[in-house]
Amino acid sequence: MNRIEVAAEVHCATGMTVKKADVAVLVILATIGRELASDRPVLIRGFGAFRSAKKKARMGRNPRTGEPAVVKPRTVVRFKASKALKQAVNDAHPIHSGPAALAVGDA
């Protein structure tokens, strides 16, 4: 699902115009990005938490040549799903629902 599809869902759920729904989605995403850039976490109850984390410089390897290379320090974004989100995903996609589960269940 991309941003425009998310905006279409907002449009259907709220009755906003698609253009206004897209602006709303853009504002939310920009706010999350701005807060993370300012090193402030974004906690969305029932969904999860976005946090920025610092990674130190380290020695790595150039994948093409195999030679040692310095990987510069950087900031990465981490996301931890809430218990409710994890449960919703697991309920929507049961672990034992593939062809192998049918074979085991039929035995």
Side-chain angles (χ1 to χ4, degrees):
M1 177 175 262
N2 62 35
R3 189 193 84 232
I4 298 301
E5 292 167 336
V6 171
E9 289 289 325
V10 172
H11 158 71
C12 290
T14 65
M16 292 173 126
T17 65
V18 176
K19 195 166 197 143
K20 285 184 179 180
D22 187 38
V23 169
V25 171
L26 283 170
V27 168
I28 291 167
L29 297 175
T31 302
I32 291 171
R34 186 178 61 249
E35 291 298 302
L36 292 171
S38 298
D39 205 25
R40 290 188 294 261
V42 177
L43 310 171
I44 303 172
R45 186 175 227 70
F47 186 73
F50 296 91
R51 298 182 192 282
S52 57
K54 306 280 188 221
K55 292 189 105 178
K56 295 179 181 178
R58 63 181 175 84
M59 287 302 294
R61 293 208 173 270
N62 182 325
R64 286 189 185 171
T65 64
E67 292 181 21
V70 175
V71 178
K72 296 178 182 178
R74 60 196 168 122
T75 302
V76 295
V77 175
R78 303 219 189 263
F79 176 74
K80 183 174 181 188
S82 71
K83 186 175 178 181
L85 179 59
K86 289 178 189 176
Q87 187 65 47
V89 170
N90 284 319
D91 288 348
H93 301 289
I95 295 170
H96 304 291
S97 65
L102 291 175
V104 172
D106 294 336

